[in-house]
């Protein structure tokens, strides 16, 4: 089945850029997503990218997709303390209604 | 405002007891989902429903049951057969339907279930 991997932790200083990485095994997804989860809350959609694109920019967020290497990344520019959260990558699964989630990366922003 | 409402926020289960988690959405979405989240792990799919009166097992359906009698509602029952029910449960919905090509998942705020 589909396997989606993320590093568990990332720590950055306020004002620096953060890069959160995601690798996956199945290349049949149409869209790939990034979600943010704050403590005790549900997941909030941050951004997404169509599988035929290799980059998408949305204000402080930049998504890079390398289909050849099956690698997705989320770059957060000028990281703020409010960005501290868990970040999940997710993929839709072609031909089904299901989504596959990564293990989540806990981002800690140091003041 | 449109959204997904989960209740209660916190729930406690006694040994041998069945408990039901509520999920209601007013987004007019066809598909609804239940996920379980354990610390340090990703989301695991319990059940999902594409349409009223129909639902499918996800990856960890054992010990859980669902119903989908109305489009807006998708309650999850954690039965006494689920031996390790302590987790954070998330309900989600998406607008999958004929012709849909990108239907994002929208999440409720979650229910924390603990065993007494």
């Amino acid at each position: 089945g589909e396997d989606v991997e993320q590093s568990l932790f990332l720590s950055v200083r306020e004002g620096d850029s953060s890069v959160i990485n995601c690798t996956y095994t199945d290349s049949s997804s149409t869209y790939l997503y990034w979600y943010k989860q704050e403590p005790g809350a549900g997941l909030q959609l941050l951004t997404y990218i169509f599988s035929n694109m290799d980059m998408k920019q949305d204000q402080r967020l930049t998504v890079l997709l390398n289909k050849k290497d099956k690698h997705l990344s989320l770059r957060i520019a000028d990281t703020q303390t409010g960005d501290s959260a868990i970040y999940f990558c997710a993929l839709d699964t072609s031909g089904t209604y299901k989504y596959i989630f990564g293990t989540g990366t806990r981002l800690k922003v140091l003041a | 405002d449109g959204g997904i409402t989960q209740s209660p926020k916190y729930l406690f289960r006694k040994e041998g007891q069945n408990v039901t988690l509520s999920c209601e959405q007013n987004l007019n979405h066809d598909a609804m989902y239940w996920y379980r989240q354990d610390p340090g792990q990703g989301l695991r799919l319990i059940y999902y429903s594409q349409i009223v009166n129909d639902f499918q097992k996800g990856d960890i359906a054992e010990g859980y049951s669902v119903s989908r009698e109305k489009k807006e509602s998708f309650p999850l029952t954690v039965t006494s057969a689920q031996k390790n029910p302590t987790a954070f449960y998330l309900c989600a919905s998406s607008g999958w339907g004929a012709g849909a090509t990108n239907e994002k998942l929208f999440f409720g705020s979650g229910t924390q279930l603990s065993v007494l």
Side-chain angles (χ1 to χ4, degrees):
Chain A
E2 176 71 75
D3 193 24
V4 182
E5 298 282 341
Q6 297 180 242
S7 301
L8 284 181
F9 299 102
L10 176 65
S11 180
V12 300
R13 295 210 172 273
E14 193 173 19
D16 287 350
S17 291
S18 310
V19 179
I20 302 170
N21 295 301
C22 175
T23 57
Y24 55 94
T25 54
D26 186 349
S27 57
S28 66
S29 298
T30 305
Y31 287 90
L32 299 93
Y33 306 86
W34 283 104
Y35 284 86
K36 175 183 180 183
Q37 184 183 33
E38 298 189 9
L43 276 68
Q44 171 196 355
L45 179 67
L46 283 179
T47 187
Y48 62 93
I49 189 167
F50 183 52
S51 56
N52 279 357
M53 298 171 63
D54 50 23
M55 187 182 89
K56 179 180 179 180
Q57 186 144 5
D58 185 358
Q59 299 183 326
R60 291 192 298 125
L61 305 178
T62 303
V63 179
L64 295 178
L65 176 60
N66 183 328
K67 286 194 74 175
K68 176 175 169 290
D69 293 341
K70 298 180 184 175
H71 183 265
L72 179 73
S73 68
L74 173 70
R75 178 177 179 269
I76 306 173
D78 187 25
T79 313
Q80 302 297 307
T81 54
D83 294 323
S84 292
I86 301 176
Y87 291 81
F88 291 91
C89 63
L91 287 62
D92 62 22
T93 52
S94 179
T96 79
Y97 291 74
K98 293 168 68 173
Y99 302 77
I100 307 297
F101 284 82
T103 47
T105 298
R106 183 179 296 273
L107 174 64
K108 183 172 182 180
V109 182
L110 305 171
Chain B
D1 282 301
I4 303 176
T5 302
Q6 288 188 243
S7 62
K9 180 70 176 170
Y10 300 96
L11 187 58
F12 297 91
R13 194 191 88 168
K14 294 180 183 177
E15 191 87 24
Q17 188 181 40
N18 293 353
V19 292
T20 298
L21 285 62
S22 170
C23 179
E24 303 276 330
Q25 55 100 357
N26 60 4
L27 299 167
N28 200 32
H29 283 168
D30 286 310
M32 296 187 74
Y33 307 77
W34 275 105
Y35 289 91
R36 171 177 170 143
Q37 185 179 22
D38 293 280
Q41 297 190 35
L43 277 63
R44 293 185 289 168
L45 183 64
I46 304 172
Y47 269 97
Y48 65 106
S49 168
Q50 301 165 9
I51 199 167
V52 174
N53 292 324
D54 187 46
F55 47 83
Q56 285 79 39
K57 292 182 180 180
D59 302 315
I60 55 164
E62 187 173 349
Y64 300 96
S65 66
V66 293
S67 62
R68 187 85 187 277
E69 297 176 4
K70 299 187 297 181
K71 188 175 185 177
E72 312 82 55
S73 180
F74 192 41
L76 173 74
T77 296
V78 183
T79 75
S80 56
Q82 172 49 247
K83 297 306 178 190
N84 182 24
T86 297
F88 191 55
Y89 290 85
L90 287 159
C91 179
S93 70
S94 72
W96 284 109
T101 56
N102 174 21
E103 291 299 340
K104 305 170 256 315
L105 269 181
F106 292 85
F107 283 85
S109 55
T111 293
Q112 176 65 49
L113 175 62
S114 302
V115 177
L116 288 176

